[in-house]
């Protein structure tokens, strides 16, 4: 599988961003259903149209959520039809016999409202991470008649899509896999603020002098061009402009120019140049 459109570093960043935003979603659903809700760490992969499958959640129901401000594009949430039944039962406070459950207007409205709360909380978390307003459209629910029909509709203009898999647990009522799909362009938009000069390719650097963004992650000792989860979390906790915070307090006087505890690119370069000689302070002549 080729992932030339999205580097490994960008995939890691998408995973960490979604980990944070989906955590906010779980909190919103927990409040709405008045019960404990947990979401596992998302697994992010780029899938080609012919290799994408979701047999594990068939028969499936899809919910499409579009971004109307802050991000450009839309994503699709896929979940089991039986999971929709469980969620509706929790909302209504009553059990529905399997042979009586159908995706009528009321049940579709109920699952859309849950997804609206879930993705609305996610959008709020994204707004804080990206330092810009992010708004979503009203979710639209639909039944998936077949994998071929789904791929024909949503892979029509995209040979590859970003596929995020995670498990959602609602107390002792449900533990099930959810899928979230988004076009590569939307994934790149998500991480663009953290890679203002473009994320380096996942292949090990061949040039002796990588960009300062890459150098800033080197002290972690990860040994590769891919950020670890800890490094990405440190980056996301830094300035939203995409320049990573220093992982340790730095004695270099250049960092004082940033004004907010976040080093400028020039300060990072000065720190790295001084770090090699172990003398960040100017030495007397």
């Amino acid at each position: 599988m080729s992932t030339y459109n999205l580097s490994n570093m960008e995939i890691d960043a998408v995973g960490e961003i979604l980990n944070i935003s989906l955590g906010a979603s779980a909190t919103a659903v927990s409040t709405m259903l008045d019960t404990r809700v947990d979401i596992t760490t998302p697994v992010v992969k780029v899938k080609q149209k012919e290799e994408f499958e979701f047999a594990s959640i068939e028969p499936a129901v899809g919910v499409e959520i579009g971004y109307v401000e802050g991000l450009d594009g839309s994503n699709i949430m896929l979940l089991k039809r039986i999971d929709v039944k469980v969620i509706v039962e929790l909302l209504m406070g009553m059990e529905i016999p399997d042979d009586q459950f159908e995706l009528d207007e009321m049940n579709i409205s109920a699952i859309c409202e849950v997804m609206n709360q879930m993705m609305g909380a996610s959008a709020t978390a994204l707004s804080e991470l990206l330092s810009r307003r992010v708004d979503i459209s009203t979710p639209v629910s639909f039944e998936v008649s077949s994998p071929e029909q789904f791929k024909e509709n949503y892979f029509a203009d995209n040979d590859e899509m970003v596929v995020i898999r995670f498990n959602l647990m609602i107390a002792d009522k449900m533990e099930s896999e959810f899928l979230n799909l988004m076009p590569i362009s939307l994934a790149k938009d998500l991480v663009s603020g953290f890679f203002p000069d473009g994320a380096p390719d996942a292949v090990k650097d061949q040039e002796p002098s990588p960009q300062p963004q890459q150098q800033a992650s080197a002290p972690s000792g990860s040994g590769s061009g891919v950020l670890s989860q800890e490094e990405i979390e440190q980056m996301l906790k830094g300035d939203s402009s995409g320049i990573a915070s220093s992982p340790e307090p730095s004695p270099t006087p250049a960092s004082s120019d940033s004004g907010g505890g976040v080093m400028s690119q020039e300060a990072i370069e000065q720190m790295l140049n001084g770090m090699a000689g172990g003398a960040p302070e100017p030495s007397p002549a």
Side-chain angles (χ1 to χ4, degrees):
M1 180 186 65
S2 170
T3 59
Y4 64 90
N5 282 324
L6 203 65
S7 73
N8 283 355
M9 186 175 287
E10 288 174 311
I11 289 173
D12 285 349
V14 168
E16 186 55 39
I17 290 171
L18 289 176
N19 193 30
I20 294 170
S21 64
L22 288 174
S25 298
T27 301
V29 176
S30 176
T31 301
M32 187 176 190
L33 300 180
D34 193 26
T35 190
R36 181 182 178 86
V37 175
D38 295 297
I39 291 179
T40 59
T41 301
V43 176
V44 182
K45 292 185 178 180
V46 177
K47 292 287 187 180
Q48 295 179 344
K49 180 178 181 179
E50 60 270 19
E51 67 180 347
F52 173 66
E53 58 84 24
F54 50 91
S56 61
I57 63 171
E58 293 186 86
V61 173
V63 181
E64 183 172 4
I65 305 101
Y67 292 97
V68 296
E69 186 174 347
L71 293 169
D72 185 18
S74 62
N75 58 33
I76 310 296
M77 191 77 75
L78 290 177
L79 64 157
K80 293 178 183 177
R81 190 177 189 273
I82 190 64
D83 293 340
V84 174
K85 174 179 175 291
V86 173
I87 293 171
V88 170
E89 287 177 337
L90 287 170
L91 279 173
M92 297 177 63
M94 58 178 288
E95 292 188 5
I96 305 172
D98 291 343
D99 58 353
Q100 294 182 20
F101 179 77
E102 58 183 32
L103 281 177
D104 55 21
E105 184 177 349
M106 183 180 69
N107 290 334
I108 287 176
S109 176
I111 194 62
C112 282
E113 181 55 31
V114 171
M115 289 299 167
N116 191 36
Q117 293 293 327
M118 185 173 178
M119 297 307 295
S122 173
T124 299
L126 287 176
S127 295
E128 296 176 357
L129 279 173
L130 305 179
S131 294
R132 63 176 184 260
R133 184 182 179 88
V134 177
D135 287 333
I136 61 169
S137 62
T138 301
V140 177
S141 177
F142 58 92
E143 287 196 79
V144 179
S145 58
S146 70
E148 292 72 23
Q149 172 262 331
F150 176 83
K151 290 193 285 187
E152 195 61 34
N153 287 346
Y154 293 100
F155 281 78
D157 299 321
N158 305 281
D159 291 332
E160 294 182 323
M161 292 277 277
V162 180
V163 180
I164 303 99
R165 293 177 180 265
F166 61 93
N167 285 358
L168 186 141
M169 291 80 73
I170 302 178
D172 58 348
K173 301 292 185 181
M174 186 185 92
E175 179 175 352
S176 190
E177 184 179 40
F178 278 47
L179 270 67
N180 186 276
L181 286 82
M182 67 176 70
I184 289 178
S185 58
L186 176 56
K188 280 188 170 290
D189 196 9
L190 268 178
V191 302
S192 61
F194 303 103
F195 302 108
D197 298 323
D201 190 76
V203 179
K204 194 177 182 68
D205 300 317
Q206 298 178 356
E207 298 182 6
S209 300
Q211 294 295 319
Q213 194 94 32
Q214 294 168 277
Q215 290 175 335
S217 65
S220 68
S222 61
S224 70
V226 181
L227 289 175
S228 68
Q229 180 167 327
E230 180 182 358
E231 291 167 336
I232 294 174
E233 288 175 348
Q234 290 176 346
M235 176 182 70
L236 293 174
K237 290 174 182 176
D239 184 66
S240 60
S241 63
I243 298 176
S245 301
S246 173
E248 297 180 3
S250 172
T252 53
S255 64
S256 62
D257 295 337
S258 65
V262 179
M263 292 190 293
S264 65
Q265 182 170 330
E266 179 183 359
I268 293 174
E269 291 173 352
Q270 291 177 357
M271 177 189 73
L272 294 170
N273 290 335
M275 190 178 296
E281 299 279 347
S283 57

